[in-house]
């Protein structure tokens, strides 16, 4: 601890304050001491636990589904930030099962982590989470906006994502568009649909159709793709905005199997920039979410809530961006 | 607990034995009780912790690098097996830093998990691990073979992987082969190189060259690719076996940039079936490892070691398989 004090240029008493009563020091002093801790490579299981106010040096991240690379990105961003403070991130995969996600959160609580992050995708999860929350430890919601009175949250603007996907298709001359969504209870799907409608309205157009499969997996996409074959052949549909890459991958697969050309006959934009569909013969144009940034911001908020007496909840909204590939190329690009 | 006894068809005393003295009951009885626990969906934070002998209901998995999809597969397999027993898997990402991996293992230990798994790739890691191991909790090594006297381990046969990659190239008429490896301290790289040599020897051939970049990342591959341009143009090299997909991706990228055709001029086989390189213009033929199976077997071994008095260490060796894509197609396939 003397090393830390010397390096930070503060007294031993100040280091002790940072460790035990962080609310009594200024942010600048705390930052100096934390930098010294990081530079000296102190073992997290002694120093950083103290930094977190006597609790564990770990924060938890309960993920919806590790097979979606968005959650891997979130985990990496959170890990990077925690590591820079000498802390660790414990991860748990919910495998898309609500019960398992809630149990993961309970597990973090039992392990006395400094705080937890959980990725959410619908209101039902949100309700279960509020019920499961206990022990007064900080919980930050990721990929979901929550009332600030309850939680900090870091979300991506899904309405904007739906908008830029649709604008891209309109900008390449496609006008007969279909949105393929999913259960309306999934708020990201709902918001992406709203963005789709706003872009169409801005161009003075209306949707050819809005489809709502029971789920947003690849197999659902295959079913939808088969249903769209006749409309595409007849020229009634020339562009598709799908609410997930898994859906888009299934749709493209079904269309190609019927001899339809993507993007010549119909352009397709997915959502997620999901590596799980990387082996598609026609690489997907998609809306990418800033997963690492979401993880970093979430970790910063949860650690702040764990350490700072006067912590104020924040709802952070990040912006998605378009990644253009072959399934919906730029205007003027060769499409066959 | 009465529900469990009724469903399993045993007495309350037997259930208690399973919970507290598993060594006093037969495996069959324990299996019956565990099945009943799983069927009744008992909360892991009460029942399953007891099943693990008074320890936590969680097992830990310290991963080398979450951005390599192999480790995601391992995590998913381990999670599936643990979940079937009402337990949970805590994950931690080492981000390719030895210090962080060891700290993750220490963290699991502090959290009193029932046992841990750690993925390893070299002898240095192995030595650090033996040093860090404490508390007498089970540790199972994944992706690495260890002396059975010390640990259980689940590995994939890397020598066989190098062999089948090379055999595939030989089977498509390529005879002027280069192996691109990495530091010899990385045992998987070393073993894959041995498999490459065995296949060549079996065909009465010798390697044109064996290259050894300092690391096995994409940028290393780009450097190697540039060095190989002249040899490929001169017809001195017609096939490349790379020790990782990241290397292979860099090599292909550098060759394409120089106007060389893959696979017409030179065929390339990678290793890992890594989703991180999915956006390559020429999809990679690669050697895939059974990641989910590795995770399932590892979880089974670590839980067995935590619960069973007479546990005997096992070294499990799984087989890889070839995934054929455009960078090295089947014999007779169109290659341009």
């Amino acid at each position: 601890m003397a090393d830390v004090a010397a390096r930070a240029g503060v007294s031993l008493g100040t280091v002790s304050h940072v460790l035990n009563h962080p609310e009594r020091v200024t942010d600048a002093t705390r930052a100096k001491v934390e930098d010294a801790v990081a530079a000296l490579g102190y073992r997290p299981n002694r120093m950083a636990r103290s930094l977190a106010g006597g609790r564990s040096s770990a924060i938890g991240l309960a993920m919806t589904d590790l097979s979606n690379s968005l959650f891997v990105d979130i985990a990496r961003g959170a890990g990077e930030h925690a590591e820079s403070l000498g802390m660790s991130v414990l991860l748990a995969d919910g495998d898309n099962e609500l019960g398992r996600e809630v149990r993961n959160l309970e597990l973090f609580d039992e392990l006395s982590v400094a705080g937890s992050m959980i990725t959410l995708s619908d209101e039902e999860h949100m309700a279960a989470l509020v019920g499961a929350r206990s022990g007064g430890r900080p919980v930050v919601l990721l990929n979901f906006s929550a009332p600030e009175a309850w939680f900090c949250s870091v979300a991506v603007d899904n309405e904007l994502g739906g908008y830029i996907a649709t604008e891209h298709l309109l900008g390449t001359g496609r006008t007969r568009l279909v949105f393929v969504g999913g259960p309306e209870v999934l708020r990201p799907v709902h918001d992406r649909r709203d963005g789709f409608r706003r872009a169409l309205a801005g161009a003075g157009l209306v949707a050819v159709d809005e489809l709502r499969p029971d789920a947003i997996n690849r197999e659902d996409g295959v079913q939808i793709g088969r249903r769209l074959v006749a409309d595409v052949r007849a020229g009634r549909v020339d562009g598709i905005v799908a609410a997930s890459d898994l859906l888009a991958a299934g749709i493209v697969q079904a269309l190609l199997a019927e001899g339809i050309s993507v993007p010549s006959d119909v352009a397709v934009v997915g959502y997620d920039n999901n590596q799980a569909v990387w082996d598609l013969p026609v690489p997907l144009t998609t809306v990418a979410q800033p997963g690492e940034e979401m993880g970093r911001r979430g970790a910063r908020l949860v650690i702040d809530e764990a350490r700072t007496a006067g912590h104020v909840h924040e709802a952070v909204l990040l912006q998605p961006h378009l990644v253009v590939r072959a399934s919906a190329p730029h205007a003027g690009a060769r499409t066959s």
Side-chain angles (χ1 to χ4, degrees), chain A residues 24-42:
Chain A
R24 297 193 196 160
V25 300
T26 65
D27 285 355
T29 301
R30 205 178 66 213
K32 268 194 290 189
V33 172
E34 287 173 6
D35 287 349
V37 167
L40 292 168
Y42 260 81

Side-chain angles (χ1 to χ4, degrees), chain A residues 216-219 221 244-251 271-272 274 276-277:
Chain A
I216 57 171
N217 297 318
R218 192 164 182 152
E219 187 48 36
S244 80
D245 280 350
L246 294 174
L247 273 179
I251 291 168
Y271 209 108
D272 285 338
N274 189 348
V277 294

Side-chain angles (χ1 to χ4, degrees), chain A residues 26-65:
Chain A
T26 65
D27 285 355
T29 301
R30 205 178 66 213
K32 268 194 290 189
V33 172
E34 287 173 6
D35 287 349
V37 167
L40 292 168
Y42 260 81
R43 307 248 301 197
N45 52 351
R46 284 191 257 135
M47 198 74 175
R49 184 192 300 138
S50 312
L51 280 178
R55 288 165 173 172
S56 164
S57 65
I59 54 177
L61 169 57
M63 295 178 287
T64 306
D65 179 10

Side-chain angles (χ1 to χ4, degrees), chain A residues 62 92-94 97-110 118 128 132:
Chain A
D93 179 19
E97 287 173 38
L98 175 56
R100 197 163 147 186
E101 285 177 80
V102 169
R103 285 201 302 280
N104 286 337
L105 204 63
E106 291 173 343
L107 176 63
F108 289 146
D109 212 47
E110 290 169 33
I118 183 168

